[in-house]
Every structure is written in structure tokens, then in C-alpha cells.
Amino acid sequence: MVEIVEKQQFSVIGKMGKGLANEGPKWIPPLWQEANNNFVEISNLAKLDTEGNIAGIWGAMSDVDEKFERWKEEGKYLAGCEVLDNAIAPNGWTKWVIPAFKYTVVKCTQDSYKETFHYMITDYLPLNNYTIVGAIQEFYSPKDNNGELSLYFPVEKI
């Protein structure tokens, strides 16, 4: 099921890397490992929801110029958590402020990621007259313990 969500600008602090788009499975997992192993360094900056839980874990993506455009041959990836906009990244961490977008949001698992991504790009978005206007973001809800994630596709109607 695809949802349409208007998300205001938000901030993420995490471990950032850059690499070839087609080699993401090689260079992205070590970023998560480093972020998870050192999370205590930023845990006090994490944005919390109304129940006191971490608001969200993001696999944020941007083009290499950090304009939040889609990856071409290379891209940047930030494995981190949502923080308050005034948070300052500690040494060794990177902060991105992701612009407000309208997103089409779809859930998947690591196993269905490629298939879901492909479906959105080739079927859902064109059939619903949407065009992608920025980098796709990965959202991991701390409440989902079953390995699900949500893909956020920034879109506009065409």
C-alpha cells in the first residue's frame, strides 16, 4: 500500500559515506555498523515522539553535491537518526537538513527492496502521474522490529 505524505524539513545526524551507486550493498552496511556501534555519542540528540521513543532512523540519500537530488553514478548516504533541527553533530558525525517534500511512501523489507523500488519507479509513479524530484530516503521505524523499512520517494504531479 502506497501512502502520500507531506513531510516538513527535518534533520538527521549520522555516519556519511560516498560511493558508486551500483556498489551500495558493499559500502553502505559498514556505515550502519559504525553508526550503531557509536550511537551512544548521539543518543541524547535523537528526536523523540510523544511516547518518548526515537522518532526515526534514516538511511538518507543525496547526490554527491548534497543538493538532495537523485543518485547518478555516485551518491552519498547518511546512516543516522532524526534529531532536533538545532542539534549540532559531534566530531566524526555529519548532519543533513533534508528539505520539505511531498512523498509517496511504501513499506518493504531488505528482501523485497529491489522489487519494491523497481515497482515504484516503473509502475506506480508513472501510472499516477508522479515524477521524482529528489533523492529517495529510507525510514526505519524503531517500532518495526520485523525488518520492515519505508521508502520515501519525493514527488510532484506531472
Side-chain angles (χ1 to χ4, degrees), residues 38-53:
N38 298 288
F39 182 73
V40 67
E41 296 174 17
I42 61 162
S43 59
N44 63 323
L45 302 173
K47 191 174 192 178
L48 303 178
D49 66 16
T50 52
E51 297 158 18
N53 300 308

Side-chain angles (χ1 to χ4, degrees), residues 1 9 13 15 20 24 26 36 44 48-50 52 56 60 66 87 91 93-94 104 113 116 119 128 144 146 156 158:
M1 186 183 93
Q9 163 186 304
I13 289 180
K15 294 294 184 176
L20 293 171
K26 288 182 188 161
N36 290 334
N44 63 323
L48 303 178
D49 66 16
T50 52
E66 293 185 21
N91 277 348
W93 294 83
T94 300
T104 55
Y113 189 110
T116 304
Y119 162 76
N128 289 279
D144 284 339
N146 54 4
E156 284 178 1
I158 45 176

Side-chain angles (χ1 to χ4, degrees), residues 90-102:
N91 277 348
W93 294 83
T94 300
K95 177 181 174 183
W96 282 356
V97 178
I98 298 170
F101 281 110
K102 175 192 272 187

Side-chain angles (χ1 to χ4, degrees), residues 82-153:
E82 192 164 342
V83 297
L84 297 174
D85 288 334
N86 63 357
I88 295 168
N91 277 348
W93 294 83
T94 300
K95 177 181 174 183
W96 282 356
V97 178
I98 298 170
F101 281 110
K102 175 192 272 187
Y103 291 96
T104 55
V105 181
V106 63
K107 283 193 171 189
C108 66
T109 63
Q110 290 297 341
D111 291 339
S112 65
Y113 189 110
K114 259 185 159 162
E115 175 186 320
T116 304
F117 197 97
H118 186 261
Y119 162 76
M120 290 296 289
I121 300 282
T122 59
D123 293 334
Y124 182 86
L125 297 174
L127 290 173
N128 289 279
N129 296 318
Y130 283 115
T131 184
I132 298 176
V133 293
I136 291 94
Q137 310 300 342
E138 300 169 350
F139 174 76
Y140 300 84
S141 170
K143 294 175 185 166
D144 284 339
N145 295 327
N146 54 4
E148 278 191 328
L149 66 136
S150 296
L151 295 175
Y152 278 63
F153 293 81

